Amino acid sequence: MTIKEKVERAKGLAEELIAEAEAYYASVGPVEVEAMFGETNVTFRVPFVYPVEFNELASRYWPRPGVAVDAPLWFNLDAVTRNYPNITMVVDGEEDDLYRVRNKEAVYIFPEMYEQMPPEDSQNLRMAVWALNVWEPQQRREKKVAEKEEVANG
């Protein structure tokens, strides 16, 4: 195989890997989290965000010193959840994108709702954000490593 052929093959492989990643990301559906506001049941849909977008968000919120939940992470889970993009809310089958017009600007009001949430509901949202962006990728990676070891060990 010539160098030119190897380069062309490598280009094709990179494009295949990008397409595979895109297909995987497209398959990751939102996580639904049930919550209560007063007497009203609501469902928050926490969408998957691309790793680069999540890392940009996480890099804005450093882990809090002495906070056990942040210790193994590279970010402040509470702040990242409060500012997580594109969470929607469903009440009685109606979906709300949580954007409002204020002073002629679109404002994402999920951070305001997060502040009013009962502690157990905000905890469930934090776990959804963590699961989508930390736990699931770790599980997928560990599964692939185990599969590779299984094949190698016959």
Side-chain angles (χ1 to χ4, degrees), residues 10-58:
K11 284 182 185 177
L13 177 59
E15 289 167 346
E16 287 175 23
L17 291 173
I18 290 169
E20 184 179 325
E22 289 288 338
Y24 167 74
Y25 296 146
S27 75
V28 179
V31 172
E32 293 190 346
V33 177
E34 301 297 322
M36 287 289 290
F37 276 85
E39 297 297 317
T40 305
N41 289 318
V42 302
T43 300
F44 288 100
R45 289 188 178 142
V46 182
F48 173 79
V49 296
Y50 282 86
V52 69
E53 184 179 1
F54 181 78
N55 286 330
E56 287 171 3
L57 176 63

Side-chain angles (χ1 to χ4, degrees), residues 5 11 14 17-18 37 41 57 60 65 69-70 72 93 98 115 128 136 148:
E5 290 170 331
K11 284 182 185 177
L17 291 173
I18 290 169
F37 276 85
N41 289 318
L57 176 63
R60 285 186 261 156
V69 73
D70 290 354
L98 301 176
E115 295 298 323
E136 194 283 332
K148 193 173 188 179

